[in-house]
Amino acid sequence: MKSIVLTVTVLCASLLAGAQQKQPVYLDLSQPLEKRVENALSLMTTEEKVSLCYAQSKFSSKGVPRLGIPEVWTDDGPHGIREEVLWDEWGGAGWTNDSCTAFPALTCLAASFNPKLSLLYGKSIGEEARYRNKTVLLGPGVNIYRTPLNGRNFEYMGEDPYLSSHMVVPYIQGVQSIGVAACVKHFALNNQEEWRGHINVDLSDRALYEIYLPAFKAAVQEGKAWSIMGAYNQFRGEHCCHNDLLLNKILKNDWKFDGVVISDWGGVHSTDQAVKNGLDLEMGTYTDGLTTKGKFPYSDYYLANPFLKGIKEGKYDVALLDDKARRILRLIFRTTMSANRPFGRFVSPEHSEAARKIAQEGIVLLKNDKQFFPVPGGKFKKIAVIGENADRSLVIGGGSSSLKVAYEKSPLDGLIAKYGKDHITYSLGYASGPALYGREEPSKLNADSLINAAVEVAKQADIVFFIGGLNKNHFQDCEGGDRKSFSLPFGQDKLIDALLKVNKNTAVVLLSGNAVSMPWINKVPAIMQGWYLGSEAGSALAEVISGEVNPSGKLPFSFPKKLEDNAAHFYGKISYPGDSINQYYKEDILVGYRWFDTKKIAPQYPFGYGLSYTSFNLGTLSTDKSVYGKEDIIKVRFTVKNTGARYGAEVAQLYVNDPVCSVSRPLKELKAFEKVFLQPGETKNVEMDVKVSDFAFYDESKKDWNLESGDFVLQLGNSSGNITQKLKITVK
Ligand code: BGC
């Protein structure tokens, strides 16, 4: 009895003492972040630290419940906030409060060439993620557009490292300003979906550093991304989710990344490598490979019990565990446990407006003979709208970016709203099957009957808008497979020919995330590239078609005439898609326009190209000096004049060439761009800051960037295919 009384007294005393103690520093919001992280870490057991490093459900990982440290909730990304899925499965959970705003695909954002819109995009999607209580947004994606067959190009920002770097940074800053971590993906070299889980990519160091890494580097160093996602594929013999060179050396050592490396879902293959080669958080694994249903518990994950056992047995250094836990805690303190975290909002009118603005500015006018566009209301009585994409949901499908949306205005909705129901006749024209993941199911409708019906409608019409392209079906613009052909699918070429036979006044509007072959190009008067435009697709397209909005988008990647003209395909199978085990990027640094220019192959449409309903003139190019030091900034000056009769925007593009260099260099490399908005007749002075250090190449002999002295040629134009002025400067 006596001893029980004593025990109770001691317990009470210690509880009282505890209550008088200060709160742990990690909860004291006035403390600097690193101090809070260290304090939290010091309070944790080994088990708790390990439990931070792997998933507890399909999209979340554990916090430390005992210490009040919250769970990490991730969600796709990158075009809207994905619906809630079941705890252990990919299938939707059936919530009724999770229908989001769909923003345009990242190819469209890149085509706007407008970093301000990128910031708006990031803030808007960040707010949607925040409202849904997400810690990490799984996006943006910045894998380089290497081949038009890649099924996921629509989720990325094009072929040019400068453009993608400058567009990705504000997106990240926008998302993170709302207290949600961006997760930049897929690091690195996941430039195709074919064999993505195992293909072993190799390429020169120069191509790696000059083409494939800059957008990730900018995301980390300028965007200050709080997390990054490892890619599925291998690079030089190691899977990218635990790749010593990519994660330990380049990302964490050279770039000083202090955030979390998250695996792609099911991208982890070894405890030893995951522990040692830079992975922090393991997601989506099953011990029987990447399947759709979990047969094994989360505690079987590579970074779960096997990691804990290794630590306990002294096989793994505790410092490795502490580093991972520290990074994950840092992410939690930056997001969920940040005192300054704003509240979000969901499907707000402002988000619709942002989606619409981005869609409007990304649409690219490719061809416009005899000013076919714009087509103002009232000009034509009978308008035929033909094609499945006019009336099909293009936010569903495509893999992990598939969205359950609050609403989606289709192109047909938009055109009917613009021109009036009585003036529009719609015909399907062609049909694909449903958007299924990982398999194709052709439409059951008869293709010839669809063509015949559409031809009848086109015959009666004053004007025809054909709205086709690709879609989010398997083997189209969709994760998990590449396109099988460069041609338009589902018999669209045949349909377009048939329409043109009965009505020459037929324009082609393509909704896709990739270039396609255009055998009918000389027969159609007008072509518009409309990407995947999200919830406001219909409004934005109708506004551009009718002329309420003047198109100002520019292509973020080159459109080849035929597939073999594309650099990756030129070198045959080992270059793309590889021999099923290995792949070598034989075109080296000559990706996109760098290839077309240097090899003197004419593309169908060059990088940076896009027409307007008005015309512009770029005035005389000058610089503040003619001789520069290697650390200098060149002040590049010129004027842009709107020489036409409509308000519009031109994207001035500055490319550089190093004519004499110890290594061969592309004829053009984009080093600056500026989107200039002008009233009719208005002239604006433009001044661009161009860093001389950006002219360096990656020198394999030095394993570092190298800027050789000498002359460089600045080239100004409104596309990579239309340089109107050149100016020589010297670097000493
Ligand atoms: C994709 C990622 C995505 C993840 C979670 C993976 O299959 O490659 O981009 O974020 O799934 O859905």
Side-chain angles (χ1 to χ4, degrees), residues 374-393:
V375 178
K379 187 168 173 193
F380 296 103
K381 270 214 171 98
K382 291 187 198 159
I383 301 173
V385 177
I386 292 168
E388 192 183 55
N389 278 355
D391 195 30
R392 178 189 174 88
S393 173

Side-chain angles (χ1 to χ4, degrees), residues 59 76-77 82 90 138 152 155 185-186 190 193 196 229 232 264-265 290 400 437 479:
F59 278 96
D76 290 297
R82 186 178 182 162
W90 293 103
L138 302 174
R152 289 189 90 172
E155 291 184 63
K185 62 195 194 183
H186 306 90
N190 186 180
E193 290 297 285
R196 69 172 180 181
M229 187 188 291
Y232 280 132
D264 202 341
W265 271 233
L290 180 65
S400 57
Y437 187 67
E479 183 178 343

